[in-house]
Amino acid sequence: MTFFTVIVRGLIRRPVRTGLTLVGISIGIAAVVALVGMAWGYEKSIGKQLDVIGIDVVVSNMSGGLMPKVFDDSLQAKIKPLPQVADTTSVLMQMLSIEDAPMMMVSGREWGGFTWDKLKVLEGRMPKDGTEEVVVLGRLAAEVLKKKVGDTVQIEATELPVVGIVDGQAVVENGAILLSLPVLQAVTGNEGKVNFIDIRITPGTTKDQVAALCAQIKGVFPEGRAMVASEVVGTSQGFRVARAMSWSTSLLAIVVGVLGVMNTMLMTVFERTHEIGILLAVGWKRRRIVAMVLWESALLGLLGGLLGVSLGALGLKLLETTPAVHGLLEPDLSPKLLLTSIAIAVLVGVVSGLYPGWRSSRLSPSLALHG
């Protein structure tokens, strides 16, 4: 009988108990994959949106949380003349409940600004000018709202006709309702207000010059900040809170998994005192007994992790199709997340086996053989 055979036999001796333990671990790991995958996916989706549009620096007041506070759009006139600024455009972005959709991105954009450039019209047309009270829908937003060109969309108390459906080349863009800035300002009662100023910098600008530009903007907008687009997501208070909540909720599920595995391994040790006593009597060292228990619990964690990753991935795919998520983000199912989740499961197994392993190594061969 090999060392591995002893480990496997220990797990399959009580298949129902082992199976229930695997279910417990897999639920915890599925929670990690689903919750963290959603948080990472939203961060990546926003990052891709900024990259597709071609934004280099973002000016906002992020103290408001996930969506920044509004400020006066006259700030743009103060930023535009600064060195290394090639172009600027103002945006008012809101997360609103739209008809049957619990939450959608509504983006009011300065007419003629570069944030309109990468939109490809699939059906209909773009607004005629910045005053036309109409909307265009990203293709995912059109699917969620079940709208076509000629229908109307109600934003707050105002109904606006849909004149076009567009492909924005990024999930967040495709899941948004787009309209000109003055129209959204009027509809939401934010006349003269924006919450983003997007900047394109002059080609060839160095990192030090960009840092100096951000410092200058801070000087004219003390309550806000200017951030390089690639750093916006990682430093946002709202994203940090979402990330912390996803990991803390996952941690609770992991703790339950630890307790489940520990209980299983302790029961296994108590039931196998006779077998462990024989192994000690025939020359097994106590550290090898500990290793046996740790390998059993680690294998339990690995199997639970593989099952949990599968369940979590399936859950994310299902969540991606729901109206609450579809068009807002693309869940992250990267190898990094999957491998991290499996590693956590194995770690859960090892940690859970430490105390049972120590208890098993304390058994006396003579006492165990009485069984």
Side-chain angles (χ1 to χ4, degrees), residues 45-58 87 89 91 93 105 107 109 113-119 167-170 172-174 176 178 196 198-200 229:
S45 297
I46 295 296
K48 186 175 181 181
Q49 180 196 27
L50 297 175
D51 185 57
V52 165
I53 294 174
I55 299 170
D56 297 314
V57 175
V58 178
D87 197 4
T89 188
V91 177
M93 195 174 292
M105 186 81 75
S107 179
R109 304 178 175 192
F114 61 79
T115 51
W116 294 92
D117 293 348
K118 295 297 180 67
L119 301 174
D167 180 2
Q169 304 177 51
V172 177
E173 289 284 272
N174 285 331
L178 311 170
F196 291 101
D198 298 329
I199 300 173
R200 281 180 174 172

Side-chain angles (χ1 to χ4, degrees), residues 165 167 174 176 232 325:
I165 296 173
D167 180 2
N174 285 331
V232 167
V325 174

Side-chain angles (χ1 to χ4, degrees), residues 53 73-77 80 87-93 107-117 119 126-127 129-131 178-185 193-199:
I53 294 174
D73 60 9
S74 62
L75 177 65
Q76 184 179 1
K80 203 160 190 174
D87 197 4
T88 63
T89 188
S90 296
V91 177
L92 176 63
M93 195 174 292
S107 179
R109 304 178 175 192
E110 178 186 351
W111 186 250
F114 61 79
T115 51
W116 294 92
D117 293 348
L119 301 174
M126 299 292 279
D129 53 46
T131 61
L178 311 170
L179 62 166
S180 71
L181 177 59
V183 175
L184 183 59
Q185 288 173 328
K193 301 294 183 180
V194 297
N195 53 6
F196 291 101
I197 295 176
D198 298 329
I199 300 173

Side-chain angles (χ1 to χ4, degrees), residues 250-310:
S250 299
L251 182 61
L252 293 176
I254 291 170
V255 169
V256 173
V258 168
L259 295 176
V261 177
M262 186 177 295
N263 177 69
T264 296
M265 297 313 300
L266 278 172
M267 292 296 294
T268 299
V269 169
F270 292 149
E271 292 173 356
R272 296 166 66 190
T273 54
H274 180 70
E275 177 186 336
I276 293 172
I278 293 175
L279 294 174
L280 289 168
V282 298
W284 276 41
K285 295 186 180 297
R286 295 186 184 277
R287 63 173 177 270
R288 196 176 188 196
I289 298 295
V290 173
M292 178 188 71
V293 175
L294 290 179
W295 273 102
E296 285 184 17
S297 58
L299 182 58
L300 203 57
L302 175 62
L303 295 175
L306 292 172
L307 180 58
V309 163
S310 301

Side-chain angles (χ1 to χ4, degrees), residues 12 21 25 33 44 52-53 66 70-71 105 115 126 133 169 182 188 191 203 213 237 269 272 302 309 320 326 353 371:
I12 64 177
T21 305
I25 299 173
V33 172
K44 287 190 175 181
V52 165
I53 294 174
L66 192 58
V70 296
F71 52 86
M105 186 81 75
T115 51
M126 299 292 279
E133 295 183 351
Q169 304 177 51
T188 58
E191 287 85 353
L213 171 62
Q237 177 185 345
V269 169
R272 296 166 66 190
L302 175 62
V309 163
E320 192 176 2
H326 194 54

